[in-house]
Amino acid sequence: MSFVHLHVHSCYSLLDGAIKIDDLVKTALSMGMPAVALTDHGQMYGLWNFYNAATAQGLKPILGVEAYVTNLDHASRDQNEVRSHLTLLAKDMTGYRNLCKLISLANIEGFYNRPRVDYALLSQFSQGLYALSGCLQGEIPRALASGKQAEARAAAERYAKIFPDSFYLEVQENSLPRQSIANKALLELGRQM
């Protein structure tokens, strides 16, 4: 069985990732991964270089982004918004085009401190995409780490409707105490759904 990283930030995710694209490909290959994803924060600047570097080395590139999702309209400038992370991965060319549309709209219409999308945009451009619940800044893990199971379940059900048969709960290991709490609750939520 092979392990494939589906949530990786490169040097294009300022203050969060440091690995250069060529080093990411070399590292994935040295670890025996058949594929690896690139999911930089709110941007897709590195995807072209990543795709070319990975395919040249026989590694399957998974194109993605860690999107910022607002609970308000993406064009809103309301100071009371709640922004969450959501990992999006392209299944196919339709998904890649939808990623491009989402991130373009996030930057052109939705930029307020960060490039943001909302639930309506996700619904409109969900075809061809997988969605993962994200890191501790994701809506579901954040709620679970705070003991808000009902809120997390409602969010998971919303995303499952937006991404039918393509939404997954994301478990991470990063040695943070809140992550351990979230991971246990994510596993339990997964059993319930």
Side-chain angles (χ1 to χ4, degrees), residues 2-192:
S2 300
F3 175 80
V4 174
H5 256 300
L6 298 178
H7 189 145
V8 178
H9 302 305
S10 74
C11 59
Y12 290 96
S13 285
L14 298 178
L15 303 177
D16 200 22
I19 196 164
K20 295 177 182 173
I21 300 298
D22 288 338
D23 293 335
L24 171 60
V25 170
K26 288 176 191 170
T27 300
L29 288 169
S30 74
M31 297 176 85
M33 293 183 197
V36 69
L38 181 62
T39 56
D40 284 315
H41 280 287
Q43 305 295 344
M44 297 168 49
Y45 300 136
L47 288 187
W48 179 256
N49 291 339
F50 170 64
Y51 179 84
N52 288 330
T55 55
Q57 296 296 317
L59 181 70
K60 181 178 179 176
I62 302 170
L63 308 180
V65 69
E66 186 170 21
Y68 297 104
V69 181
T70 179
N71 63 323
L72 305 173
D73 179 278
H74 73 286
S76 171
R77 299 296 186 253
D78 189 323
Q79 298 276 339
N80 297 314
E81 80 165 336
V82 177
R83 193 173 46 233
S84 303
H85 296 192
L86 183 70
T87 309
L88 300 173
L89 305 171
K91 294 181 190 180
D92 51 27
M93 187 54 77
T94 298
Y96 174 72
R97 287 185 182 117
N98 281 333
L99 270 183
C100 291
K101 289 175 188 174
L102 282 167
I103 296 308
S104 293
L105 290 169
N107 280 280
I108 295 167
E109 297 175 357
F111 198 95
Y112 184 59
N113 297 317
R114 299 267 191 262
R116 302 162 309 141
V117 297
D118 57 29
Y119 303 123
L121 280 178
L122 290 172
S123 294
Q124 185 178 354
F125 298 109
S126 64
Q127 186 179 1
L129 295 176
Y130 290 110
L132 312 177
S133 59
C135 63
L136 280 173
Q137 293 305 311
E139 188 174 358
I140 297 163
R142 183 184 319 150
L144 291 171
S146 299
K148 300 176 182 174
Q149 279 76 11
E151 185 179 310
R153 184 179 181 92
E157 289 171 351
R158 181 184 330 101
Y159 285 123
K161 286 180 185 172
I162 293 172
F163 300 97
D165 299 319
S166 297
F167 174 69
Y168 298 90
L169 298 173
E170 183 176 343
V171 177
Q172 299 184 359
E173 179 51 56
N174 53 26
S175 302
L176 297 174
R178 283 180 58 85
Q179 188 70 58
S180 294
I181 294 166
N183 284 348
K184 288 176 187 171
L186 282 162
L187 293 172
E188 183 59 33
L189 179 61
R191 285 186 203 100
Q192 295 171 8

